[in-house]
Amino acid sequence: MELKVNSERRAGACVACLTPNAFNGLCAPCRLDLPVNHWACRVCALPLPISGHDRVCGGCLTDPPPFDRALIPWRYQFPVDSMIHRYKYLGQHRFARPLIQDLGHRLTDVLAADDPAGPQALIPAPMHRHRRRERGFNQAQDIAEHLGQHLCLPVHGGLVHRGRQVRAQRDLKREQRLENLKGVFEVHGRVPERIAIVDDVVTTGATVRALAGLLRQAGARHIEVWALARTPG
């Protein structure tokens, strides 16, 4: 009998082990095996080797980013890295569904406990039209739309454009990424005062730094970064 993988919230097989009766695409044991980003910088969410929920990494101390905080629940390690790869490069959306759904629930809890008001809009990290045509979709836009629906927040997908195509970021070091992104983003429209930048993975933080810097210059006053995973330092 063919297993129905991750097609319903409470039915179908786990995308990781194919055990039936998954919840949002993952069974309980596989969900517990996800590499949770327990100890992380409270600003950029960089995984830290020591415990503590109010620590700031050396990079944020010496060169504070132009955003206020990052909420990123997992480390980019197995099986999260494999799940995101299959989603991002192979178009297998069922592998991202558990991560997106769980991120939405975590954000609901965090925003409910916040004293200040939450974001007014979500800004997906833009993708150049040529790369989007090659891949078939922009994963940041897809994640933002799911989160926007879950949190009842508008998604301003056309607010920031990539003015030109650049080298793929994944093969570059942090300094090279920052140089690669100079002048690449353009704002087209009014920027809300409180926003959240949405992406799939934050690696060196170069992309979200460039986006946040531009959006702050354009009028944003409180900027958050929401992503599925953060690479260890």
Side-chain angles (χ1 to χ4, degrees):
M1 181 178 68
E2 182 180 357
L3 287 172
K4 181 172 59 176
V5 178
N6 196 23
S7 61
E8 297 178 19
R9 189 166 183 258
R10 295 181 180 272
C14 173
V15 297
C17 70
L18 298 183
T19 298
N21 301 320
F23 179 80
N24 280 337
L26 280 177
C27 66
C30 286
R31 183 169 270 105
L32 289 174
D33 281 342
L34 295 180
V36 177
N37 195 11
H38 284 299
W39 304 330
C41 171
R42 63 178 173 82
V43 180
C44 74
L46 178 72
L48 299 175
I50 52 178
S51 64
H53 298 287
D54 198 38
R55 297 184 181 275
V56 179
C57 71
C60 288
L61 286 172
T62 58
D63 184 18
F67 54 84
D68 296 276
R69 70 173 178 181
L71 300 173
I72 308 176
W74 295 285
R75 301 189 306 276
Y76 191 65
Q77 296 172 334
F78 185 83
V80 168
D81 55 355
S82 177
M83 293 168 71
I84 293 177
H85 179 87
R86 297 183 74 161
Y87 162 62
K88 183 174 180 177
Y89 297 108
L90 302 179
Q92 297 176 350
H93 290 248
R94 65 183 183 272
F95 285 92
R97 179 179 174 181
L99 303 178
I100 297 171
Q101 292 286 346
D102 285 6
L103 173 59
H105 291 307
R106 294 185 187 211
L107 290 171
T108 298
D109 294 338
V110 170
L111 295 178
D114 277 350
D115 288 330
Q120 297 167 299
L122 306 183
I123 313 294
M127 178 182 289
H128 193 274
R129 62 184 182 277
H130 294 326
R131 187 158 292 159
R132 179 166 183 163
R133 190 178 302 119
E134 292 171 358
R135 190 170 296 171
F137 75 110
N138 176 1
Q139 70 280 353
Q141 177 79 29
D142 185 56
I143 296 168
E145 288 174 355
H146 280 86
L147 294 178
Q149 184 177 16
H150 181 84
L151 299 167
C152 297
L153 289 172
V155 178
H156 293 185
L159 184 62
V160 183
H161 294 179
R162 277 184 179 261
R164 56 185 172 82
Q165 195 166 12
V166 296
R167 293 173 59 191
Q169 292 281 92
R170 62 180 176 272
D171 299 322
L172 303 179
K173 295 181 179 179
R174 183 174 181 274
E175 293 75 13
Q176 294 173 314
R177 289 179 180 229
L178 290 169
E179 184 65 28
N180 195 41
L181 291 170
K182 282 186 176 179
V184 74
F185 297 119
E186 303 169 351
V187 174
H188 295 266
R190 179 180 174 275
V191 177
E193 288 191 359
R194 304 189 310 276
I195 59 173
I197 298 169
V198 179
D199 209 349
D200 58 332
V201 180
V202 173
T203 305
T204 64
T207 298
V208 292
R209 274 179 174 263
L211 279 170
L214 179 66
L215 289 165
R216 193 170 289 280
Q217 290 177 5
R221 296 293 175 263
H222 180 83
I223 304 174
E224 301 193 1
V225 174
W226 296 354
L228 300 178
R230 183 71 158 89
T231 57

